[in-house]
Amino acid sequence: MDKTTADHLTWHSHEVTKLMRSKQKNQQPVLLWFTGLSGAGKSTIANALDYALYERGLHTYLLDGDNVRHGLNKDLSFSDVDRVENIRRIGEAAKLFVDAGLIAISAFISPFRSDRQMVRQFFEPGQFIEVYVSTPLSVCEDRDPKGLYKKARTGVIKHFTGIDSPYEAPEDPEVILNTGEHTIEECISQLLTYLDEKQLLLPPST
Amino acid sequence: MDKTTADHLTWHSHEVTKLMRSKQKNQQPVLLWFTGLSGAGKSTIANALDYALYERGLHTYLLDGDNVRHGLNKDLSFSDVDRVENIRRIGEAAKLFVDAGLIAISAFISPFRSDRQMVRQFFEPGQFIEVYVSTPLSVCEDRDPKGLYKKARTGVIKHFTGIDSPYEAPEDPEVILNTGEHTIEECISQLLTYLDEKQLLLPPST
C-alpha cells in the first residue's frame, strides 16, 4: 500500500453535524408545515413568516408549489399514488433542510392526515410543527384567487380538495390560524408567539 | 367582501429572495458536484471540504448516499430509469439548497455524462462546479473500502460502475482531483484555491 492510499484510509473524517450547522446559525432547526384548503392563505402566511424570521436574522427556507412542483416533483401527476409521493418527497426534502440547520417552512394543501402523519414521523419530537390554516371553505371559495373553485364547481377540474375530494382537518395541530377572522399580521404574530413560547427562536441549548 | 378578506387580497408579499438569503450568509451559493468511481474518495473529500468551509464560517450542506438514498430517493431501484431519476432528484434538491443561499456539495458516482449535463442545466452559469475525482480504477479496486469491487468481480453485484457498467469521465470538469497521487489535504487545498480564484468565497457582489 503506498503512502497516499494509506493517507486516504487513515484520514479522520470531520463531519459537520446538524447541531454544528444549527449553532453556526444560532437557531434551532424546525419544520413549520402549513396545511389547509386552496385559498386559505397558506402561501401568503408562509411567505410573511419567512420574511419575519429573516428580518430577525434567522436562516429559513420556504418550500412551496413554486419551487417544488416544477422541479423536484415535476414528474408527478395528481393521481392518488403520486399525491402521496408528492408529500413524501416534500417531507424528505424538508428533513434535509432541517438537517442543514435551517428553519424550513412548507405550504401545501396536504389534505390527508395519513400523509401529514408520515411526514411528522420523519422528524424528531418537537421539530415538526403542523400549522393548520383553518379558513372555512366558504371564505376560500369566495376569494378563489386563482379561479380554481369555479373550475372545480363546473367540473373543469376534478378531485379538487374541498369540492369533490376531502380535506381531513388536523386533529391536534400545533397551531391553528384562521385568515377569515384574523389579518395576516395577526397570524404572523400568533406564529411568532408560539415559536417564542416554545423557546424555538433561541439558540440551541446544547 | 369583508375587511379581513380584503386584507388578505391586498397583503403585499415580502418574498425572501435567493440573493437576500445569500447576503445574509455573506457568501455566494454554488453546487460542488463530485463525480468519480466508487472508492475514488468523493465522500471523504466532500466531507473534508464541507468541514473546511464550515470552519471558514460558510454555510454549507452535503448531499450524499447517507442522507439521500434512505430518504428522498429510497423508493428508487438501481434500474437504468431509476438511476437517472436518482441523479435528477439530487440535482433538483441541490438546486433548492443553492436557492436557499447555501453552498451545496454532492457526492455520488453519477457515471453518465448526460445525467451530469442535465443537472448542470438546472443551474445558472458558474453555479454548478463539476469536481472529477479521477482516482484510477486500479487504485479504487485496491482500496475497495466497502468490498464492493470484490463482489462485482465475482458477479455478486451486477452493473457495477467500472466493472460491468461504464464510467463516463467528465470532458471539461471545473476541477480534477486525484487521490491516487495527492493527499486529502492537498485535494482540499486545490479546491479552496479554485474557489478563491473564482472569487466564490467572497460575499455576493450585488
Side-chain angles (χ1 to χ4, degrees), chain A residues 31-35 46 61-64 90 94 104-108:
Chain A
L31 168 61
L32 290 131
W33 183 277
F34 284 75
T35 175
Y61 192 62
L62 174 63
L63 295 164
D64 63 12
I90 293 162
I105 304 169
S106 68
F108 298 89

Side-chain angles (χ1 to χ4, degrees), chain A:
Chain A
M1 187 180 290
D2 67 18
K3 175 186 165 294
T4 51
T5 304
D7 280 343
H8 173 76
L9 292 174
T10 58
W11 172 261
H12 183 73
S13 169
H14 292 288
E15 197 183 335
V16 186
T17 65
K18 181 179 180 181
L19 183 60
M20 288 160 71
R21 298 188 194 282
S22 307
K23 282 188 169 179
Q24 182 190 38
K25 294 166 182 62
N26 214 27
Q27 66 186 27
Q28 295 177 60
V30 293
L31 168 61
L32 290 131
W33 183 277
F34 284 75
T35 175
L37 294 166
S38 176
K42 296 182 298 303
S43 281
T44 305
I45 302 172
N47 261 293
L49 176 67
D50 188 20
Y51 195 83
L53 294 174
Y54 165 82
E55 282 197 312
R56 285 184 174 212
L58 296 165
H59 296 256
T60 59
Y61 192 62
L62 174 63
L63 295 164
D64 63 12
D66 286 343
N67 56 22
V68 168
R69 261 288 171 194
H70 302 291
L72 182 62
N73 291 0
K74 74 176 173 189
D75 57 316
L76 298 176
S77 73
F78 289 89
S79 71
D80 288 353
V81 169
D82 277 8
R83 280 174 189 229
V84 175
E85 174 63 5
N86 182 50
I87 297 301
R88 188 193 71 81
R89 282 191 212 164
I90 293 162
E92 292 284 10
K95 185 179 176 183
L96 295 174
F97 278 96
V98 169
D99 190 45
L102 297 177
I103 297 171
I105 304 169
S106 68
F108 298 89
I109 296 172
S110 50
F112 299 114
R113 264 181 220 127
S114 57
D115 296 347
R116 299 191 303 263
Q117 188 59 28
M118 167 184 65
V119 174
R120 183 183 288 271
Q121 288 169 357
F122 293 165
F123 291 83
E124 297 171 25
Q127 296 200 328
F128 177 90
I129 299 164
E130 190 170 18
V131 180
Y132 174 33
V133 184
S134 69
T135 317
L137 177 62
S138 58
V139 176
C140 296
E141 193 166 359
D142 278 351
R143 288 177 183 161
D144 205 8
K146 301 173 190 168
L148 297 174
Y149 283 99
K150 186 168 282 181
K151 287 183 181 172
R153 287 289 184 196
T154 55
V156 177
I157 301 175
K158 302 282 186 194
H159 309 298
F160 193 76
T161 300
I163 304 300
D164 54 352
S165 185
Y167 178 79
E168 299 173 357
E171 290 177 320
D172 194 19
E174 276 74 8
V175 181
I176 301 178
L177 306 175
N178 185 334
T179 67
E181 295 179 4
H182 297 283
T183 65
I184 301 296
E185 288 85 349
E186 287 166 352
C187 292
I188 296 305
S189 174
Q190 186 184 337
L191 281 164
L192 292 175
T193 299
Y194 173 85
L195 293 170
D196 273 331
E197 284 178 356
K198 292 285 178 182
Q199 305 196 311
L200 289 170
L201 298 182
L202 298 176
S205 56
T206 53

Side-chain angles (χ1 to χ4, degrees), chain B residues 153-173:
Chain B
R153 287 289 184 195
T154 56
V156 176
I157 301 176
K158 302 282 186 194
H159 309 298
F160 193 76
T161 300
I163 306 300
D164 54 350
S165 185
Y167 178 79
E168 298 174 358
E171 290 176 321
D172 194 19

Side-chain angles (χ1 to χ4, degrees), chain A residues 21 24 50 58 61 99, chain B residues 21 24 50 58 61 72 99:
Chain A
R21 298 188 194 282
Q24 182 190 38
D50 188 20
L58 296 165
Y61 192 62
D99 190 45
Chain B
R21 299 188 195 281
Q24 181 191 37
D50 188 19
L58 296 166
Y61 192 62
L72 182 62
D99 191 45

Side-chain angles (χ1 to χ4, degrees), chain B residues 77-91:
Chain B
S77 73
F78 289 89
S79 71
D80 287 354
V81 169
D82 277 8
R83 280 174 189 228
V84 175
E85 174 65 5
N86 182 50
I87 297 301
R88 188 193 71 82
R89 283 192 210 163
I90 293 162

